[in-house]
């Protein structure tokens, strides 16, 4: 049953309209907000019909418009303008799965820092072998929430868990592949020298990658890169690496303005 006013009025609206993720691109000038996003819009924020909202679709396109009406299981949004995301460097974080909330922390903060994708790794020395479907679904939800909170133009993609061998075989063409190592050349120097448009950064578990994993990565062309003199926990290393890469790619020290290597 339709209820055009099933969303109590919020009298004070923020200067920047609240953002919601949508599962499909708008069709004929209309978009639909469903599931947990609908609950947040209607029940938590209590947005009224005609309230201004921002929507982020799976391709990273932002749509702005207003709530047209509420239906039982969705809100219908009248889309008034759309803007494609700006071109940016692609950062893939391949992080060994760690126990408990520390992995949630990696997912959330990597998304906030601007990682494009997260590849959860099942490694030889890792303590987590099979995270389970519900945990992976939680990572997806955290990535969506982090994109909204940080006003990112993209939602970080979370891949299904994979082995280190799958990681090595799956490096996209034209991507600088890096494996974090205590004695490696500083990551910032590696990036400045290579000028990549895309980078994949592999970070091991607390016990680090084993010798076979490191050897296989080196044989596949991975570059060993360090994150400073201190010994870091897995989640600290993962986020430090993303921050370094994002800073350099954002400032243009990773790739040239013309997209060609310097």
């Amino acid at each position: 049953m339709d209820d055009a006013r099933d969303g109590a009025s919020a009298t004070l609206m923020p200067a920047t309209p609240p953002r919601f993720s949508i599962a499909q691109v708008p069709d004929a000038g209309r978009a639909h907000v469903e599931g947990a996003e609908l609950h947040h819009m209607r029940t938590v924020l209590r947005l009224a019909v005609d309230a201004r909202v921002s929507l982020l679709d799976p391709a990273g396109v932002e749509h702005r418009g207003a709530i047209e009406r509420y239906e039982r299981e969705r809100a219908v949004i009248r889309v008034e303008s759309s803007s494609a995301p700006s071109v940016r460097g692609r950062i893939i974080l391949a992080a060994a799965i760690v126990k408990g909330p520390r992995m949630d922390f990696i997912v959330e903060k990597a998304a906030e820092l601007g990682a494009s994708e997260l590849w959860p790794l099942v490694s030889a020395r890792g303590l987590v072998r099979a995270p389970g479907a519900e945990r992976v679904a939680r990572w997806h939800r955290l990535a969506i929430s982090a994109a909204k909170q940080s006003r990112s133009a993209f939602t970080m993609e979370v891949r299904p868990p994979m082995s280190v061998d799958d990681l090595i075989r799956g490096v996209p063409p034209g991507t600088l592949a890096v494996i974090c190592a205590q004695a490696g050349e500083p990551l910032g120097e590696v990036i400045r020298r290579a000028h990549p448009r895309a980078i994949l950064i592999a970070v091991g578990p607390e016990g680090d990658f084993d010798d076979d994993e490191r050897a296989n990565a080196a044989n596949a062309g991975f570059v060993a890169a360090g994150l400073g003199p201190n010994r870091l926990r897995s989640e600290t290393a993962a986020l430090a690496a993303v921050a370094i890469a994002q800073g350099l790619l954002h400032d243009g020290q990773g790739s040239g303005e013309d997209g060609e290597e310097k």
Side-chain angles (χ1 to χ4, degrees):
M1 180 177 66
D2 290 359
D3 185 351
R5 295 291 170 179
D6 184 19
S9 176
T11 57
L12 295 178
M13 292 297 296
T16 302
R19 173 183 282 185
F20 303 90
S21 294
I22 54 176
Q24 297 181 339
V25 299
D27 182 34
R30 298 296 183 273
H32 299 143
V33 176
E34 302 171 324
E37 296 291 86
L38 172 63
H39 173 78
H40 188 64
M41 172 185 287
R42 179 164 57 184
T43 306
V44 178
L45 296 181
R46 304 180 68 203
L47 298 182
V49 168
D50 292 330
R52 312 294 302 176
V53 295
S54 171
L55 308 175
L56 189 66
D57 74 19
V61 177
E62 182 178 24
H63 309 275
R64 293 205 173 197
I67 300 172
E68 184 171 275
R69 67 180 183 274
Y70 283 104
E71 299 177 354
R72 182 181 295 275
E73 296 184 352
R74 67 184 185 179
V76 178
I77 310 302
R78 180 177 63 256
V79 175
E80 299 169 352
S81 65
S82 301
S83 57
S86 59
V87 177
R88 64 167 188 171
R90 182 184 183 191
I91 301 173
I92 302 170
L93 173 62
I97 303 170
V98 293
K99 294 178 66 176
R102 292 163 54 206
M103 192 66 191
D104 291 354
F105 185 77
I106 290 176
V107 174
E108 181 179 70
K109 301 310 175 186
E112 288 183 17
L113 286 167
S116 310
E117 300 175 30
L118 175 72
W119 295 9
L121 295 180
V122 178
S123 55
R125 292 176 176 168
L127 298 179
V128 180
R129 312 305 302 173
E134 177 51 39
R135 195 174 180 200
V136 175
R138 174 173 171 77
W139 297 339
H140 284 280
R141 294 194 298 270
L142 286 170
I144 291 171
S145 178
K148 290 165 56 180
Q149 187 278 330
S150 62
R151 307 297 298 180
S152 172
F154 292 82
T155 296
M156 182 180 72
E157 178 184 355
V158 180
R159 294 283 191 93
M162 65 181 68
S163 69
V164 176
D165 287 341
D166 290 336
L167 160 72
I168 292 171
R169 289 192 293 265
V171 177
T175 299
L176 171 65
V178 170
I179 186 168
C180 291
Q182 183 74 20
E185 180 183 3
L187 176 60
E189 295 304 317
V190 172
I191 294 173
R192 290 188 183 95
R193 185 178 66 250
H195 301 294
R197 299 205 64 176
I199 182 170
L200 184 152
I201 305 169
V203 181
E206 294 294 350
D208 211 344
F209 294 112
D210 69 12
D211 292 343
D212 288 341
E213 290 169 336
R214 287 196 170 281
N216 291 340
N219 290 337
F222 278 67
V223 179
L227 299 171
N230 295 347
R231 183 178 180 181
L232 305 178
R233 293 178 69 106
S234 295
E235 64 269 29
T236 307
L239 299 177
V242 173
I244 292 169
Q246 176 70 327
L248 291 175
L249 269 61
H250 178 76
D251 290 342
Q253 298 182 55
S255 60
E257 293 181 357
D258 59 1
E260 297 179 359
E261 292 188 0
K262 297 177 182 178

